[in-house]
Amino acid sequence: MSFAIITDLTTNVDWSEINQATLDTLFMLGFAVLFSTLIGIPVGLILFLSSKGRLLQNKWVYNILSFIINVLRSVPFIILLIVMIPTTTMLVGTSLGAKGTIPPLVVGAFPFFARLVENALKEIDDGIFHMAESCGASTWQIIWHILLPEIMPSLVASITVTAIALVSYTAMAGTVGGGGLGDLAIRYGYQRFQTDVMLITVVLMVVMVQVIQVVGDFLVRILRK
Amino acid sequence: MINIQNLSKSYKHKKGSIKVIDDINLDVAKGEVFGIIGKSGAGKSTLIKCLNLLERPDSGKIIVDGVDLTSISANELRIQRQQIGVIFQHFNLLSSKTIFANVALPLTLQGNHSKAEIKAAVDEMLSLVGLSQFANKYPASLSGGQKQRVGIARALITKPKLLLSDEATSALDPQTTNDILELLLEINQQLGITIVLITHELEVVRKICDKVAVIDKGKIIEQGNAFNILLHPKEPLTRKLIIEEESDKYLEKVKHFYQFEKHPNKHILLLSFVGEATYQPILNTISNETNAKYSILRGELDRIKHMPFGQLLIEFDGDEGSLEKACTIMRSMKVHFEIVH
Ligand SMILES: Nc1ncnc2c1ncn2[C@@H]1O[C@H](COP(=O)(O)OP(=O)(O)OP(=O)(O)O)[C@@H](O)[C@H]1O
Ligand SMILES: [Mg+2]
């Protein structure tokens, strides 16, 4: 029985296609995580600093930004993919393939990440801010020398959580021509009833999630002193 | 060093606002250790936050070393703040940075020091507070007392002229508190840094303060030499803060025990001796010159900062005439006394 599956896997499955799909997924994932982080950190900082009682307290900035983030977070990802087609085409020249999937992935993930950043910042003790101000630190210095280093472990943990959420987002994107492992699973597993290919893609994604989690946890442990 | 004029500050609440600092005037001389005591919620922390303008007062002037902090620009204020070290009850160390980097932080923020300069300064400061071997450790691995030493090193790294402390020893055990107080005293005496500290522990005031101010409901109700305030507090609240804890409780017991209504001639006197007066045979003189008898109920010897003092609680048995005579003798010998009953 098990022998049969193994022969099946070696004969029926097009491994080069799986290789390519895996690389596509990793490509999407890498850039989506990168841009979500690059956008999410400043947005999270602005949210935090503009909130009540903070250094740059500003009701309007906070409320508007918070509203936009909530809206983005409540739109189902699959709808985001479709709604964003014109924007995506404008940004990267296509709405298809791995490249065309990155913008909706980022828009789907950065608001979530920004909230995680905001929450991590809220955890910092008020005393740290008193200390920083007493040292005569400017707002920029507080961000750079104090806030970012202090939340670094949480930041890495948040990136881990976001990256894992993005793995399943990339699979979903596959259903609407996004390429990658999700695309493969749909085309072979669903449309051609090749369950073995679907199984392999699922296993690969499970492995990805595991690796991300283990590496993330490891880094957090090193950073938390 | 510090001159506060007509300082007021209120916080807005849902129902109106409350005055937390109410028209305070205060002077702290250069090189002094100045203690501020008061009940919880009296406004102590708010007052000390005003001293480096962490809280902006509604009105009044805060002049530190000749500069009125309330009238300068944000940039100038940042520079002034670098001249004022602050230590905190909960240390406020950065968990992500080594002890070295924590102490170096104020210099790093100033941005105009070379790596070598910073290293030399931090090494010197760490050895002053006795933590040289901890330079590369992280705060999480330090004890409370060690963390406060790091806090002190960080506060002093910019060579400030003024050190502010809000309950810096309140989170520490008595032995560690003692060590930290010794360190503060050493800093005050060797570096000549003026210290303003808030505390609810009388021990702190006894050990290191030269001057004390008592604050209640945003007003300073009594201030002066630590010695006078500690030994002869005038305001009822000050007495409550200082004496009641010990002597008054004891006095209550004595009053209860003696049933004074049956002995109209018996009185209880509390005598305090300071400096020279300590060495005079006061009780002997009194009993020689009057026909009164006395017995000692309780006595103690202690010191406030470096000044030794003694307190005696005595039972005095004599008529009005001898009591008056005894008072005259005590006055002439500069012994402070109080007729408790
Ligand atoms: N940021 C703030 N907003 C509103 N009210 C405040 C604020 N900070 C302090 N208060 C109020 O001001 C009063 C004085 O507070 P403060 O912290 O100065 O007291 P404290 O003397 O330091 O007390 P403790 O000994 O408990 O530390 C309190 O009634 C407090 O509730
Ligand atoms: Mg306080």
Side-chain angles (χ1 to χ4, degrees):
Chain A
M1 182 64 202
S2 58
F3 184 72
I5 288 180
I6 288 169
T7 31
D8 265 11
L9 288 183
T10 48
T11 52
N12 290 351
V13 177
D14 182 349
W15 285 97
S16 74
E17 204 165 2
I18 288 178
N19 267 345
Q20 186 55 47
T22 308
L23 287 178
D24 282 352
T25 294
L26 288 175
F27 171 79
M28 285 188 275
L29 203 58
F31 277 95
V33 169
L34 179 68
F35 286 112
S36 302
T37 309
L38 289 182
I39 299 172
I41 290 176
V43 172
L45 275 168
I46 295 171
L47 265 178
F48 172 75
L49 292 172
S50 65
S51 64
K52 192 158 178 274
R54 297 300 178 182
L55 288 168
L56 306 173
Q57 177 173 345
N58 186 318
K59 211 162 72 184
W60 284 102
V61 171
Y62 183 82
N63 287 340
I64 291 174
L65 198 57
S66 180
F67 178 74
I68 294 174
I69 284 179
N70 289 346
V71 168
L72 288 176
R73 284 188 64 189
S74 50
V75 177
F77 183 61
I78 198 89
I79 294 178
L80 200 61
L81 276 172
I82 297 160
V83 174
M84 279 195 56
I85 288 175
T87 324
T88 305
T89 316
M90 209 179 72
L91 281 173
V92 294
T94 172
S95 70
L96 293 174
K99 209 163 127 196
T101 311
I102 293 171
L105 281 174
V106 172
V107 173
F110 92 79
F112 171 63
F113 183 72
R115 283 288 185 207
L116 294 179
V117 172
E118 186 196 5
N119 283 334
L121 290 166
K122 280 188 199 162
E123 292 292 310
I124 297 178
D125 195 272
D126 274 353
I128 297 288
F129 292 90
H130 289 152
M131 181 277 291
E133 280 188 88
S134 303
C135 290
S138 64
T139 305
W140 276 117
Q141 288 182 318
I142 292 179
I143 292 174
W144 190 250
H145 289 281
I146 292 164
L147 299 187
L148 290 179
E150 280 298 283
I151 63 165
M152 198 47 85
S154 322
L155 218 50
V156 173
S158 304
I159 291 174
T160 310
V161 174
T162 310
I164 287 172
L166 278 167
V167 171
S168 61
Y169 279 13
T170 62
M172 229 189 288
T175 60
V176 291
L181 290 170
D183 178 40
L184 210 63
I186 291 285
R187 275 195 289 126
Y188 287 85
Y190 182 68
Q191 288 160 357
R192 297 190 211 163
F193 303 105
Q194 253 182 285
T195 341
D196 44 8
V197 176
M198 198 166 75
L199 210 68
I200 292 168
T201 59
V202 170
V203 167
L204 282 171
M205 284 197 286
V206 169
V207 169
M208 261 181 219
V209 169
Q210 286 296 338
V211 169
I212 293 169
Q213 188 70 56
V214 168
V215 172
D217 286 350
F218 174 73
L219 290 175
V220 170
R221 212 172 327 121
I222 291 184
L223 288 169
R224 255 205 194 117
K225 289 145 190 158
Chain B
M1 174 56 81
I2 304 177
N3 172 234
I4 297 178
Q5 298 170 14
N6 308 103
L7 192 73
S8 289
K9 161 102 194 162
S10 26
Y11 283 117
K12 285 187 188 62
H13 282 263
K14 284 200 185 96
K15 298 174 200 148
S17 67
I18 50 161
K19 240 183 174 157
V20 177
I21 301 287
D22 192 358
D23 197 27
I24 279 185
N25 290 283
L26 199 72
D27 279 295
V28 178
K30 206 173 174 62
E32 253 172 17
V33 182
F34 196 103
I36 298 172
I37 58 176
K39 288 193 299 188
S40 184
K44 305 181 296 288
S45 297
T46 311
L47 176 60
I48 210 165
K49 278 182 195 156
C50 283
L51 289 183
N52 64 355
L53 235 61
L54 232 46
E55 291 284 358
R56 201 166 261 282
D58 301 334
S59 62
K61 283 189 176 154
I62 300 161
I63 301 165
V64 176
D65 209 17
V67 181
D68 180 4
L69 298 183
T70 55
S71 68
I72 56 178
S73 70
N75 248 334
E76 282 173 273
L77 178 59
R78 294 210 297 111
I79 292 166
Q80 286 305 316
R81 278 180 179 159
Q82 293 167 1
Q83 305 297 312
I84 304 174
V86 187
I87 50 180
F88 306 86
Q89 179 173 4
H90 298 294
F91 327 125
N92 298 339
L93 304 181
L94 298 178
S95 57
S96 59
K97 293 194 193 308
T98 60
I99 301 309
F100 183 94
N102 265 288
V103 174
L105 184 73
L107 292 182
T108 316
L109 294 176
Q110 285 183 352
N112 53 357
H113 303 280
S114 71
K115 273 223 162 77
E117 263 171 27
I118 292 182
K119 171 130 178 48
V122 174
D123 285 347
E124 188 195 326
M125 207 41 85
L126 283 177
S127 84
L128 176 79
V129 300
L131 287 179
S132 298
Q133 71 274 37
F134 290 91
N136 295 317
K137 293 226 158 62
Y138 287 86
S141 62
L142 266 57
S143 71
Q146 291 169 331
K147 283 182 193 166
Q148 194 56 285
R149 283 169 189 274
V150 179
I152 292 172
R154 177 181 61 195
L156 296 179
I157 192 81
T158 54
K159 306 225 178 300
K161 28 193 186 186
L162 174 62
L163 183 66
L164 307 178
S165 149
D166 190 347
E167 302 277 10
T169 56
S170 301
L172 307 173
D173 62 62
Q175 179 56 44
T176 318
T177 294
N178 211 25
D179 295 346
I180 295 291
L181 292 179
E182 296 276 321
L183 177 62
L184 288 178
L185 209 51
E186 196 182 309
I187 287 160
N188 168 249
Q189 284 163 354
Q190 292 182 3
L191 312 178
I193 295 175
T194 310
I195 301 180
V196 175
L197 61 87
I198 285 178
T199 183
H200 71 265
E201 299 165 305
L202 283 180
E203 209 38 44
V204 175
V205 180
R206 272 200 203 110
K207 285 237 168 68
I208 70 171
C209 289
D210 300 305
K211 294 272 177 66
V212 182
V214 185
I215 178 170
D216 184 44
K217 299 200 187 84
K219 284 192 197 296
I220 291 191
I221 57 169
E222 192 165 357
Q223 65 170 310
N225 269 327
F227 222 84
N228 288 329
I229 303 263
L230 284 174
L231 288 183
H232 324 304
K234 293 194 182 63
E235 293 296 319
L237 183 95
T238 319
R239 291 187 60 91
K240 227 177 155 145
L241 281 173
I242 292 169
I243 293 186
E244 206 165 60
E245 288 180 25
E246 299 162 31
S247 311
D248 279 9
K249 242 184 251 160
Y250 191 78
L251 288 176
E252 274 308 309
K253 273 187 211 156
V254 171
K255 280 184 192 170
H256 188 73
F257 186 66
Y258 267 79
Q259 298 179 311
F260 288 102
E261 31 323 325
K262 291 182 194 157
H263 309 279
N265 271 349
K266 280 193 179 171
H267 297 278
I268 303 283
L269 307 184
L270 179 66
L271 277 58
S272 315
F273 312 84
V274 174
E276 279 305 304
T278 321
Y279 308 110
Q280 293 175 351
I282 178 89
L283 291 179
N284 226 355
T285 316
I286 290 176
S287 71
N288 284 346
E289 308 230 341
T290 70
N291 51 11
K293 296 192 198 77
Y294 65 86
S295 51
I296 296 173
L297 301 176
R298 181 176 189 244
E300 88 179 311
L301 273 175
D302 205 346
R303 54 175 64 214
I304 293 176
K305 206 150 182 182
H306 299 301
M307 182 92 85
F309 74 93
Q311 269 192 327
L312 274 182
L313 193 65
I314 64 169
E315 182 205 305
F316 181 92
D317 194 353
D319 53 26
E320 287 302 311
S322 29
L323 180 62
E324 234 159 72
K325 196 152 190 201
C327 292
T328 319
I329 294 168
M330 288 189 285
R331 263 185 225 111
S332 73
M333 289 185 152
K334 302 229 160 30
V335 170
H336 188 278
F337 65 94
E338 221 176 293
I339 302 172
V340 180
H341 184 93

